């Protein structure tokens, strides 16, 4: 028989949470979980009490005491980004083991941490401790002091860095190109930090970083790099770069930007065996007066990415200039010109209206000649002399190439520009605080490893046509949300949010068993 106990005020005033009940046991009041369960024999639902949640006192609810001796060992770390780059970096690890057998784990881990988190070296150890890599490669000495020693040791070994770069496989179906990039330096002791000029008009201490890329399918893969002093022009350093990389100048092509197109630079390139393609500024002597008056006067035509391109070849002494008309570009430039013209005429009419209003009040400010000169600009006047609208002119010394080949190769430069945009903006490798030539060399090598893995991730995204939806930064941020939970010595992937799960399915990402990876690495550890 249930005995009803009178509830004191503090119990009656207690706000009971949903799906709970209050019980009186041995003179005390307790809060329990409560649920209902269907009884098929009676055809009714019956009350089922759950676990005790706490004791109700005059001071409120006192939570249930926990016996900590029964709590299991639980650990939570970041899994997604670290394991993804671990799996995709298998070839890099294999080569690092070969050329840096004593520190390959540290090199690889730091490269992944700087790609998955941020570029700051002093924070690598913190990121490492909260990453699954701390279980795959336990106890790595990558504290700030340890990394200082690692950079000095790694930077002095340019020979093995070179062997590593040369050991990576190259696709014979992709063509090679070279390009330069300027890195600002805040150090006053770095030998290669010299005041130089770059395309951004920055006359500051900088290092000239030259890269060799293999291009194809819209992706620029970094193959080889070399640093030079900031006051050394790109074109004078290309030969040294290609010589160290073991590449014949005839097998590589320089795809430059418009800033390269000076006669001095062309003379330097013509003095070597290096092939080049460079766009010319509009109004250049090679093109002036030679632009066809009609689309039907162009000699060649082809389709590029579902867009018609018209072309004309202009042969010169030792080189050729290919003039391309892109109707889509012409339409964009025409629309822009009409918008500017409309704004200009609207502003002019507004000024004229204000002046006429002032004159009605006898307060005119302009002379009659100035007022008469306020005539709307006609389209024919605006477009006069702009015969090169919608055109691109490319100069090259590869005379055997067709206009379509020249255009397609030049458009691959966008992949190089995307590489350096990621280098500067996404991973923030655009400036260095390294103080010595050795630490700078090691810093560049770590950057190269991070960028190589980053480019592969971008390549995977591009192959699935998802570049408009997923950037490299979006991808890394999403993958970092995937966590691993360690319970009683065994790792389990945590449940992920729907957005991340959808992204992984779209990209076909299925991570391997982390326990298998850990066991594999520990079996191979010395």
């Amino acid at each position: 028989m249930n005995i009803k106990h009178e509830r004191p005020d503090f119990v009656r005033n207690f706000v009971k949470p949903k799906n709970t009940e209050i019980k009186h046991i041995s003179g005390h009041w307790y809060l329990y979980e409560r649920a209902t369960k269907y009884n098929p024999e009676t055809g009714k639902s019956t009350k089922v009490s759950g676990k005790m949640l706490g004791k109700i006192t005059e001071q409120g609810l006192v939570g249930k005491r926990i016996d900590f001796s029964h709590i299991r060992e639980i650990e939570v770390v970041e899994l997604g980004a670290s394991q993804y780059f671990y799996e995709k970096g298998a070839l890099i690890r294999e080569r690092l083991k070969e050329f840096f057998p004593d520190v390959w784990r540290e090199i690889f881990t730091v490269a992944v941490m700087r790609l998955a988190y941020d570029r700051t070296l002093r924070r690598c150890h913190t990121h490492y401790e909260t990453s699954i890599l701390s279980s795959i490669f336990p106890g790595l000495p990558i504290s700030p002091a340890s990394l200082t020693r690692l950079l000095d040791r790694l930077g002095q070994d340019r020979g093995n860095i070179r062997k590593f770069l040369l050991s990576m496989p190259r696709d014979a179906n992709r063509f090679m190109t070279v390009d330069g990039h300027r890195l600002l330096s805040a150090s006053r002791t770095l030998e290669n930090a010299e005041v130089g000029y770059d395309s951004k008009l920055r006359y500051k201490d900088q290092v000239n970083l030259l890269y060799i890329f293999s291009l194809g399918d819209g992706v620029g893969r970094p193959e080889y790099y070399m640093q030079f002093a900031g006051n050394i022009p790109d074109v004078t350093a290309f030969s040294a770069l290609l010589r160290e990389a073991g590449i014949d100048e005839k097998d590589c092509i320089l795809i430059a930007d418009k800033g390269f197109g000076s006669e001095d630079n062309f003379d330097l390139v013509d003095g070597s065996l290096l092939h080049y393609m460079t766009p010319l500024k509009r109004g250049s002597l090679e093109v002036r007066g030679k632009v066809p008056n009609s689309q039907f006067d162009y000699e060649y035509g082809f389709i590029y990415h579902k867009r018609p391109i018209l072309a004309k070849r202009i042969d010169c002494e030792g080189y050729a200039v290919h003039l391309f008309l892109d109707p889509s570009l012409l339409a964009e430039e025409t629309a822009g010109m009409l918008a500017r013209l409309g704004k200009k005429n609207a502003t002019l009419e507004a000024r004229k209206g204000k002046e006429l209003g002032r004159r009605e009040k006898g307060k005119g400010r302009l002379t009659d000649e100035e007022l008469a000169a306020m005539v709307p600009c006609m389209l024919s006047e605006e477009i006069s002399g702009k015969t090169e609208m919608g055109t691109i002119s490319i100069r090259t010394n590869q005379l055997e190439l067709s206009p379509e080949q020249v255009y397609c190769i030049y458009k691959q430069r966008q992949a190089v520009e995307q590489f350096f945009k990621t280098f500067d903006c996404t991973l923030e490798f655009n400036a260095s605080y390294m103080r010595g030539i050795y630490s700078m060399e090691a810093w560049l090598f770590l950057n190269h490893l991070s960028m190589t893995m980053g480019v592969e991730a971008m390549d995977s995204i591009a192959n699935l046509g998802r570049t408009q939806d997923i950037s490299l930064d979006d991808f890394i941020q999403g993958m970092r949300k995937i966590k691993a939970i360690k319970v009683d010595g065994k790792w389990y992937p945590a449940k992920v949010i729907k957005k991340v799960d959808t992204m992984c399915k779209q990209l076909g990402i299925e991570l391997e068993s982390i326990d298998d990876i850990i066991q594999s690495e520990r079996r191979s550890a010395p």
Side-chain angles (χ1 to χ4, degrees), residues 287-301:
V287 179
R288 193 179 304 166
K290 300 177 183 178
V291 180
N293 295 321
S294 168
Q295 295 185 11
F296 301 103
D297 295 331
Y298 283 86
E299 303 165 350
Y300 309 93

Side-chain angles (χ1 to χ4, degrees), residues 427-438:
L427 301 187
E428 299 181 343
F429 293 159
N430 57 319
S432 168
Y433 291 86
M434 299 297 106
R435 297 180 180 180
I437 191 70
Y438 296 137

Side-chain angles (χ1 to χ4, degrees), residues 334-344:
T334 302
M337 181 189 66
L338 291 175
R340 292 190 299 271
L341 180 61
K343 184 177 181 180
K344 178 180 177 181

Side-chain angles (χ1 to χ4, degrees), residues 7 33 83 149 174 185 197 202 204 207 239 250 281 336 340 352 376 408 451 457 484:
R7 296 186 176 186
E33 288 181 345
Q83 186 176 345
R149 293 189 292 270
R174 298 166 65 88
S185 173
Y197 166 81
R202 300 177 299 185
K204 297 181 178 181
V207 174
S239 295
K250 295 182 292 184
K281 295 180 180 178
R340 292 190 299 271
K352 185 176 180 179
C408 292
M451 283 300 304

Side-chain angles (χ1 to χ4, degrees), residues 443-505:
W443 184 78
L444 291 174
F445 184 53
L446 292 172
N447 292 353
H448 175 81
L449 297 177
S450 297
M451 283 300 304
T452 299
M453 290 184 280
V455 166
E456 184 172 351
M458 291 190 292
D459 194 6
S460 299
I461 295 171
N463 288 338
L464 295 170
R466 308 295 303 181
T467 51
Q468 297 297 322
D469 308 319
I470 306 172
S471 67
L472 178 61
D473 195 39
D474 294 334
F475 173 73
I476 292 174
Q477 293 289 340
M479 293 300 291
R480 274 175 31 194
K481 295 182 185 299
I482 302 176
K483 308 294 183 182
I485 303 175
K486 185 180 182 181
V487 180
D488 294 338
K490 187 174 178 60
W491 288 103
Y492 300 90
K495 185 176 178 61
V496 299
I497 61 175
K498 184 176 180 181
K499 182 177 180 181
V500 175
D501 184 56
T502 301
M503 180 187 73
C504 290
K505 289 179 179 177

Side-chain angles (χ1 to χ4, degrees), residues 337-338 340-341 344-345 348 372-387 389:
M337 181 189 66
L338 291 175
R340 292 190 299 271
L341 180 61
K344 178 180 177 181
N345 286 338
L348 189 67
M374 298 177 72
V375 178
C377 182
M378 303 301 292
L379 176 61
S380 58
E381 298 174 5
E382 186 72 13
I383 204 171
S384 177
K386 296 182 179 179
T387 59
M389 286 182 59

